Amino acid sequence: MTLQALLVIAAALFGVGVYGALSQQTFVMIMMGLELMLNGAMLAAVAFWAQTSGGNPKGQLLTVVVMVVMAVEAAMGFALIIGIYRIRKADMTEKLKRLRG
Amino acid sequence: MNGGHDMDGMSMPVGDVTPEILLVVGAVVVLVAALFLRRERQWWCPLLAMVALASSAVAAFAMLGGGQSSTFFGTYAADDAAVWAKLIILAITAVVLLMSIEWFAADARGGELYALLLLSAAGAIVLASATDLMGVLLGMLLSSATGYVLTAYHRADARSGEAGIKYYLLGALTNGAMAYGVVLLFGLGGTTTLEGLADSLIGADRVGLIAASSLVIVGLAFKLGAVPVHAWVPDVADGAPGPIAALVTTAPKVGAFLALTRVVLILPEDALGWRLLVAVLSAGTMTLGNLAALWQDDVRRLLGWSAVSQSGYGLMAVVALGRSELALPSLLFFLLAYAAANLAAFGVVVELRGRRDRGAYAGLATARPLLALALVVSFLSFVGIPPLAGFTAKLSLFAATIDAGYAWLAVVAVINSVVSLVYYLRVIAPAYFEPLVAPIPVLGQWAYGATLFSAVAVIALGLLAGPFIDAFLRADLLPG
Amino acid sequence: MAWIVPLVPLVGAAAVVMSRRRPHVAATVAVTAAATAAGAGWWAAATAATGTWRWGEGLRLELAVTGLAQVMVVLVPAVAVPVLAYAASAMRDDPGLVRLLALLQVFVAGMLQLVAAADLLTVLIAWEIVGACSWGLISHQWRDPTRPTAALHAFLTTRAADLGLLAAAAVALATTGSMRYDTLGELRGWPVHAVSVGILLAALAKSAQVPFSPWLFSAMAGPTSVSALLHSATMVAAGAYLLARTVPELGAAGWLPGAVVGFGLLSAVAGGLVATAQTDLKRALAASTTAQYGLMFVAVGSGSVAAAGAHLVTHAIFKSLLFLGAGIALHAAGSGYLGALRLGRALPFAAATFWVGALALAALPPLGAAWSKEEILSATVHRGAWVGAGVLLASLLSALYAGRLAVLAYGPGEPVAGERPTWPERAAVGALAATSVLLGVLWIPALGERVEALTGGDLAAGAAWELPVSLALIGAAAVAVRTLARRGHLLDLALGQRLTAFVAGWFGLSTLARVAVVDPVLALSRVLARFDDRVADAGVRAAARITEALSRSLSSWGERTFDGTVLGAARTLKAVAAGSWRFDDGPVDGFVRGTAAGTVLLASGSRRFDEGGVDGTVEGLARVTGVAGRRARQLQTGLSHHYYVIVAAGLVVAVAVIAFGR
Amino acid sequence: MSGVTLVDVAFWVFGAGSVLAAWLVFRVDSMVRAAYWLFASFVGVGFVMVLLNARFLGLVLVLMMAGEMTIMAVFMVMFMMNPAGLNPMTMVHQHRTAVVAGLVSFVALAGVGLVSDFPDRPVDRGQDPTEALGVELLGESMLIFEIAGVTLLATMIGAIALASKRGRYGDAQAGSVAPELPDSAPSGTLEPAAETSMDHSGHGMGHG
Amino acid sequence: MLSAAIFVPVLAAVLLLVWPRLDERGARRVALLGTAVPLALMIVAWLRFDGDGGFELVESMSWIPSIGVSYRVGVDGLSLPLAAMSALLFLVAVAYPADLRGRPRQYFAAFLFLEGTSLGLFLALDLFLFYVFFDLGLVGMYFLIAVWGHGDSRRSALKFFIYTWAGSLAILLGIIGLALSADPVTFDMAELIRQQPLGADGLRAVLVFLAFGVGLAVKIPTVPFHTWLPPAHVDAPAPASAILAGVLLKMGTYGVVRIMLSMMPATFERFALPIGILAVVSIVYGALVALAQTDLKRMIAYSSINHMGYVILGVSAAAAAGAGDIDSRTLALSGATLEMVAHGLITGALFLITGSVFARGDTYEIDHFGGLASRAPLMTSAILVGSFASLGLPGLAGFVAEFQIFVGTFAVEPVLAAFGLLGIVITAAFFLRMVQRAFFGALPERWARWPDLGRSEGVGLAALLALVIVIGVAPSWVLDVIDAGTSVIVGP
């Protein structure tokens, strides 16, 4: 359970998240990709807290903050998706291209 | 008011965050009041919100030149730069609030709206004042979250929703990236306070620093509307409710610029080419913004792209940070000038009930001479025609950049300014040179007043730049 | 105080303009003013008046009535008196009479300043004013479009050469700090040559010497009174006068006298030939003017300012006399064609005066003109035998054409029922003829010193053979004229029409000037104007093309490279993660394809825009920028996932910059 | 660390598991399944946190994500009125670019982890991390904590304002538009003509 | 007092804008008053001017002290004649009849605003202030051309604005570069002239010089930066053309003398020869292109390019410190300055006349006219005086200036001067050709009712042309003032 191993796993989670965010069509799936990116960030934060910061509690707090980011983004995402679905029946990026140029 | 590291007493220097507290309290009060007020009494909400903004501004003003700058154990700044940013943000929010009264008159959710406006201001303020990476992250989040909602606030308007979701998608992605960057910085430096990092990052591993700093800088670029995370700006300017478009392209930028200056100051310059990166972002942002605005026939999108390009100019100050003593003053003055001009420009659009087609501005000078004048003043300020505020801002930006040895960037900015003149004139021309074809309905007196106030501010700031530049020159900036 | 001299006719001009409603009064005023000017000139000459006018720091205009100026300040207004009187009478029905009189006054004023000037700047100013007045006078009958064109020709020819004087003045001031005649001697090195060339150029053109002579023909487009003044004491006289004043000072330019003699001799002979061949009375007189001033040049070049000055005076009198006579003939016959005049019987008084002038032109003693010509001959003989021979040839020619003109114009012939001269006209020619005769006093040897004093030069001692030879030549000329007249070939000279026409037309000099100078300049200007309308655009257009080609190749390059990278990476990945998922082998991803297609489309569209485009720099620049602008907007596809790609790509760039941009 | 301990085995199981689960989020063909794989991935990370002695954080994470994933699943099934939330679906675009981006970010960040020289200051095992967190929250970083709270408050207000079906005075949708311009649709003219068809022609996830 | 000259017109402009009930006559009266006051003030300033070197009548006020910016105005021998000429030209232009397109208040307000900025520019003693007025002038002129112009006026106005503004931004960079080189940072002209913060060499000096050079070359304009000028002139209303040629172009040449020559003479000396060559190219090229024009206004516009070439030639001669003595160089610089004044008066008058022609004939095509002299002797006289003055006839103002320029240049670069002389001949050719084609010859039937100059036209033109003659005959009163300024600039 070395730092390197932890960071590789965190990077893998982040990378999968990036892939998802870029490749998915539906908003909900994109959100999942975004959450996975944050998941990787959280893992890295805890890993750093445990291995390089000498147990600085700010590391834990950072993890909490990332969690807050995750929660807020999820809530906002859902609210916005509901809103757009109500009026445009749109659930994927391809359907929203009125604003362009 | 002393921020001693006295853990036992647990006495928190709450006084240092009075403006923020007033805002949050104000938001709650507005919400609660909205709950209990009958519909015809809902006008209390904007009034209360205004009171909150005003009191917060008074509290912030009292902190000017306080001398003591770090508070809450190094996680928060009470330096002059932060206070000025607060004042600018509060002023922006107040103007936007005035514009909102009539624009949202038909909307029943006034309480939420004004509460969110206050919270949005709080978010931008946190962004401007945080000296802890977590604070920066949360400031981004608070400012973004309120921004998404406000952008999508017209629930029955397809554009509004689309703008909101695009704003959100980009914001969420960059927030994720930035979070990882912050985590990496924590890993490298063992702490999240900028003060601590400024020491511990010296000699830190270069590879890690490269990844972390580019993630964080690009993350902050989102709020600035800078390349490569600029795509939301025109969409929000286009789709969001008029006053909100003015707010979202203005207030968070103030916070984000301050945050960016604080962050880049802790990056070891010998290991990182952050200065060049910011310069490249600056050049790219202004160029892309101007080029894309060039053929816009939609005035609101045009304003959006112009907001992008203006961010590029602002980044010039960041490039000069630490190399020219004019860097911070020019940045603050630029923000002030930009905010005034941007509010005036959007204010005209708002007062014209969101009129967007360039051709539909025909005859504006005949029908609404003062509005047309406000439009001209704000546009010419964007372009940098003296003696408007935008000119002094550009002059000091150019001076700072040249002083810092980045003359090429100033040249790029000059070329861009010339390009930008074209599209601004493309709007001004019909307003002045074409006859009125149809009556031009307007929104109402509050928005009108707010617009004219902003336009007057553009002129006044240009003529009375001296005291401001002086004050900004004296301002301190953490982590110094 | 010497400024009074040019001021008098100037005031006269103003008075003439003020009395424009009553032409009679105007005429009287004009003549009186000229007479007053002559009086003022006399006074100035007598008191050797000087005057200065401060111009600016280190620059002042100076007048000094010394040397030859003493004669000229009297001569110029004196000649103007009869000319003005004649003009007022001859043009009495012309609505532009007042303008003509006023302009003639200004003309005289300019000439007075010119002759009284003591430095190059003052002379330059007067010089140009005289030139401009000549333009106005020649185009007096402006309703006829050919006359202003002729005026322009005359003006441009002289003005082009005038720049020589401007340059001379500038060089003199720049090198010695002064433009006075008497400091010209301080010049050394290249400046002295530059000044000499400049002055010579200006003088040649003003005095209508070869190769500038043809402008005098254009000047014939003006009224006869104008010609009378212009050829005698003003304008054309200026060249010879200036040389008379400056050549002695420019001793450091050793080549100058020779050049002056050369050009003078050439003009004297060529002008004589032209005058002999001409079939138009006024033109023939004009050519004779060139020839006579050629003789004065020869005198100046030979070092005898006195002879030149004396000839200047005598020539002024008889030439104005001849022109006025020609004007009367013109009035009577309606044309100046020499074949249709022979007014001797119709207008006996005019004929008599004209004959006096012609004999003076032929230099028949004891007329004053003969004396001055003899003095020139004496001076040139000292200079060299070939010069003397040239002068003799020129005298022969002048006698020949003088006789020819007199016979053809006022010889005995059928009376024509034309207009008779009025009394002022008769008075004018009468006075001039009388003066011409009176000038015979010059033959009195005792007056030689007086002439030397008045002209500021020395007279050369004449050789005994000169006068008889001259007389013999005149006799020969008379015989020739008589013979030709008997045979009826006095008009066409029996030389063949083409040859006479060629000679009479100044040997094609006019055409040469047009082909060699005017046409090329006009063509160049048109080419440049067309170039100018497109120039900036052409540059920008080229830039647009280059940008466009670049962007097109870039986009195709990008298509291949970006896609190739992606494809390659994908293949690798496919191998690594074999089987776990299927890979999309379809067409390239929308974004890449869209961008590529968009840029290609734009490139072709912008080319079309370009080719049908408009002129001008800003438009051109805007076109380049505009193409870029449209392309930039293509990035904003409206699709969020494309924005994600932009962010990702931007991050990669950011990492690269921050890593390598230290 | 010498030798392979039980902790190491557990770490690799959970770590690799969470990555695999993350991967499967985008490979399964229904959204609900995807949601549960996402939850699984978070659980994996939560356990790794526990292994790293951050028990409290791990627990919070798992609990929070459990809630969120439930909402997500419900959301998809109920709100989108898509009983086929379980229906097969692979809806991807710009796949190749996405793969490249994912790989590049993985390689880059993993590279940072492997190559970079981080300080070596492991946490003191004797310390109670939860208590330390508490002290931090109420001490030095109290402001951060408060800001987080305000952020959550703002999120709640905003989410309700956006999503609630009914407003205070009836339909929340009513009146929630830009001020009207006399001539045309709200906010002016300039509507791209070809665009309206996109809104209502459903392709992709079936609805209705 | 000088500030009043700047701000009275501006205030009058504001008054016009906010007084909606004012009719055309009232607006004209306000405008006349607003332009007469600065002229009176400039006359007073002229009388109070000592000419003992240095700046006089200085008024200053702190503006942005921390970066050395302040509001400073004052005059010296260079700026006083230019400002006075501008004030006169503005009065005449405002009084001149024009097609107001039903917007009299705005028209006069634009003029007054432009006057304020123009005077401000010449009187400014602070680079910041200088730039402020420099740009504001563009804005005013843009509106004047775009709204009250004819033909394709909006495009021409746009081209004018963008092109010249690009130039002015280059100047801005130069100003910043210069101000930053001073220690402490200052925009004070007098201080910068004293310090001369940039030496002859060094990349920075060259770059700053180039920035100024390019920017001012656009404004002047010299070949090849001139392409904005002809369309702007042709499409502008005549009074605006007069101001554009008479005042705005002078801003460029004034900047060359005031900034490039005074603040960086060492660098200028290095570049004196190439700049002189550029000037000669402008002279000859402008004249040749003018010769080919068939459009009256375009022809005069190109003649402006030609005349600005003389100015630059004189300045470059004055800059060549190594090659000429002080007297010649002072002479050249005084000549260049006087040429600015003379050209303002002469070309201003000529453009005003073209306005009268256009108002009567609705075209600028020279060949559409002919024989106008019989119907309009006053107009013919005016254009004759103007033409002769422009082609450099002695006794008129242009000659005095051009003579001094050539004297100075012959002392420094005789070859250049000789080439420059060519322009004079060509100028004579095209002006007189124009006069005889449009005003001489037979009168076409369609112009049988061509009216002569009216009173408001005649008085203004008479004032300008009378001054042209007065300066031409007795230049010392102007030259003494000018010399007071130029001798300081050229002096050791």
Side-chain angles (χ1 to χ4, degrees), chain C residues 563 566-567 569-570 573 581 583-586 589 591 641-642 645, chain D residues 23 27 90 92-101 103-104 108:
Chain C
D563 205 41
V566 176
L567 209 70
L573 219 107
W581 39 281
F583 198 72
D584 175 13
D585 274 334
D589 287 329
F591 177 64
H641 53 278
H642 292 167
V645 177
Chain D
W23 179 242
R27 299 314 312 166
T90 43
V92 291
H93 47 213
Q94 55 181 12
H95 195 234
R96 222 173 274 164
T97 316
V99 169
V100 172
L103 273 180
V104 167

Side-chain angles (χ1 to χ4, degrees), chain E residues 23-262:
Chain E
D23 63 353
E24 185 181 329
R25 275 184 60 184
R28 188 180 290 273
R29 253 179 228 156
V30 172
L32 284 176
L33 199 66
T35 47
V37 169
L39 180 59
L41 287 171
M42 293 323 298
I43 292 172
V44 173
W46 193 293
L47 297 176
R48 284 173 55 183
F49 184 74
D50 290 334
D52 52 1
F55 296 106
E56 297 180 29
L57 305 173
V58 176
E59 294 162 24
S60 74
M61 198 175 76
S62 172
W63 191 358
I64 312 178
S66 42
I67 53 172
V69 172
S70 49
Y71 172 87
R72 292 185 198 91
V73 292
V75 287
D76 69 347
L78 181 63
S79 54
L80 182 57
L82 285 171
M85 180 271 289
S86 305
L88 173 67
L89 199 55
F90 266 104
L91 179 58
V92 174
V94 163
Y96 215 76
D99 179 5
L100 303 185
R101 307 282 159 86
R103 294 185 183 181
R105 290 185 299 119
Q106 290 86 340
Y107 173 83
F108 290 118
F111 257 107
L112 288 165
F113 175 74
L114 196 56
E115 167 158 29
T117 61
S118 304
L119 293 179
L121 180 117
F122 291 128
L123 300 178
L125 294 185
D126 185 285
L127 281 179
F128 188 91
L129 195 63
F130 173 89
Y131 185 79
V132 167
F133 289 126
F134 199 91
D135 266 10
L136 281 180
L138 298 186
V139 180
M141 187 47 86
Y142 168 72
F143 279 99
L144 269 177
I145 296 178
V147 179
W148 292 278
H150 38 67
D152 204 355
S153 65
R154 272 168 62 182
R155 156 172 281 191
S156 302
L158 186 71
K159 188 172 179 174
F160 157 76
F161 197 175
I162 291 173
Y163 206 148
T164 49
W165 195 60
S168 79
L169 280 174
I171 295 171
L172 178 62
L173 288 187
I175 288 178
I176 293 172
L178 196 59
L180 285 179
S181 314
D183 186 35
V185 175
T186 182
F187 288 79
D188 183 354
M189 285 182 175
E191 180 63 19
L192 285 168
I193 291 171
R194 198 185 60 74
Q195 279 195 12
Q196 306 210 343
L198 290 165
D201 300 308
L203 186 63
R204 181 161 197 164
V206 173
L207 285 179
V208 168
F209 189 82
L210 272 183
F212 277 121
V214 171
L216 293 169
V218 170
K219 183 81 179 181
I220 291 170
T222 61
V223 175
F225 301 105
H226 64 282
T227 49
W228 61 267
L229 185 73
H233 268 311
V234 169
D235 294 340
S241 269
I243 296 301
L244 177 59
V247 180
L248 264 68
L249 302 194
K250 306 303 171 299
M251 297 179 175
T253 44
Y254 173 74
V256 170
V257 179
R258 175 63 86 221
I259 300 172
M260 290 167 77
L261 184 59
S262 302

Side-chain angles (χ1 to χ4, degrees), chain B residues 67-139:
Chain B
Q68 163 265 352
S69 44
S70 181
T71 183
F72 278 97
F73 314 99
T75 61
Y76 209 69
D79 52 8
D80 273 2
V83 178
W84 279 114
K86 279 174 207 183
L87 288 170
I88 298 173
I89 291 166
L90 291 170
I92 293 168
T93 315
V95 172
V96 168
L97 193 149
L98 289 179
M99 291 180 192
S100 306
I101 294 173
E102 288 135 343
W103 184 283
F104 290 98
D107 201 312
R109 298 161 301 155
E112 289 89 334
L113 176 77
Y114 297 113
L116 283 168
L117 278 182
L118 294 181
L119 289 172
S120 169
I125 286 176
V126 168
L127 202 48
S129 316
T131 52
D132 184 299
L133 287 176
M134 292 186 285
V136 173
L137 205 51
L138 285 170

